[in-house]
Amino acid sequence: MKLFVGLGNPGAQYAFNRHNVGFMAVDVIAAAHGFAAWRKRFQGLTCEGKLGGEQVLLLKPQTFMNESGRSVGEAVRFYKIDVGDVIVFHDELDLAPGKVRVKIGGGVAGHNGLKSLTAHLGNDYMRVRIGIGHPGHRERVIGHVMRDFAKADMEWLEPVLYAMSDAAPHLAKGEKDRFQTQVAHETQTGTD
C-alpha cells in the first residue's frame, strides 16, 4: 500500500490558502480516480482507492500543519507502511508558481509540516513540491503562505492539480521521473 499525504490546515478559513495546496492535490486525485468517500481516521481524513494497479490510501491530517507527523505516523504504523511508500504533497516557496518537483529526502527548508513528518518518520519519504513562489522578503513568508490563492492563480493552479492527478498512477508505481515529466508536459507554457 502507498500512502499519499496532502499537507494543509483543517477548516474552511484555510481551504484556499497557498499552504493548503497539498490538501487540494489529494482532493483532486480522490475525485478524478473514483476513491471511496473521505472518513475520519488517524487524526485525519482518509479515503482509499487504486492508482496504477496499486492500493493507495489518501490522508489529509487534521492536526494542523505543525503536527502533521502525528497523523501520518499513526497511519504508517497501523498499516506497517515503509517510509519509502509515503508520498507527501506540499507547498514550496522555492519553486515558481506552478512548477512541480519530486525528491526523496532532503532538508525541510523551514516547512513546519515537513519538520513534523521528519520527526515522526525519518527523512526518506517522497516529496511532491508544488511551487507557490516566494514573496521576496523573509518577513512576508507567513502572510504569503497563509493567504488564499488569487483569482489569477487559478490559471496555473487548476491545470497543475489536474496534471498531478492524471500522472498520479506513476507515483503509485514508484515512477517519480515519469510523474514529473508528465506533469511538466501537461502544464508546459513555453517558458521555464
Side-chain angles (χ1 to χ4, degrees):
M1 174 181 279
K2 306 287 185 187
L3 175 61
F4 282 25
V5 179
L7 293 185
N9 286 308
Q13 70 271 36
Y14 302 111
F16 298 104
N17 282 186
R18 289 179 179 94
H19 218 23
N20 274 39
V21 74
F23 276 11
M24 296 173 200
V26 294
D27 280 336
V28 172
I29 291 169
H33 294 278
F35 275 50
W38 291 96
R39 62 189 186 121
K40 291 181 180 181
R41 290 175 77 197
F42 311 122
Q43 299 180 65
L45 297 173
T46 68
C47 65
E48 289 186 51
K50 283 202 182 284
L51 289 172
E54 298 282 337
Q55 191 66 25
V56 175
L57 177 70
L58 301 181
L59 171 62
K60 296 189 294 184
Q62 300 295 291
T63 51
F64 288 92
M65 184 68 80
N66 296 0
E67 295 292 333
S68 299
R70 286 194 348 236
S71 170
V72 177
E74 272 188 39
V76 164
R77 287 188 299 277
F78 182 85
Y79 284 108
K80 297 175 175 55
I81 298 171
D82 185 272
V83 73
D85 290 328
V86 176
I87 294 106
V88 179
F89 294 80
H90 67 89
D91 58 303
E92 177 60 65
L93 284 165
D94 295 330
L95 287 176
K99 292 290 180 197
V100 176
R101 295 290 179 267
V102 182
K103 72 175 189 174
I104 297 171
V108 298
H111 194 294
N112 290 328
L114 296 179
K115 201 177 291 181
S116 177
L117 283 173
T118 297
H120 286 265
L121 302 178
N123 202 30
D124 296 328
Y125 53 92
M126 188 181 297
R127 300 123 192 257
V128 178
R129 304 161 60 222
I130 305 163
I132 61 166
H134 197 286
H137 298 283
R138 192 174 181 184
E139 61 275 1
R140 291 175 38 207
V141 164
I142 292 172
H144 179 69
V145 300
M146 298 303 289
R147 195 168 298 119
D148 285 357
F149 282 107
K151 245 187 191 126
D153 291 327
M154 292 304 138
E155 290 179 23
W156 64 262
L157 179 61
E158 287 182 356
V160 164
L161 293 173
Y162 286 105
M164 287 191 299
S165 175
D166 290 347
H170 291 307
L171 279 182
K173 292 188 279 188
E175 302 167 346
K176 69 180 182 66
D177 292 337
R178 289 184 74 184
F179 168 83
Q180 197 167 271
T181 299
Q182 183 175 334
V183 170
H185 180 75
E186 284 189 29
T187 58
Q188 204 147 20
T189 58
T191 60
D192 201 5

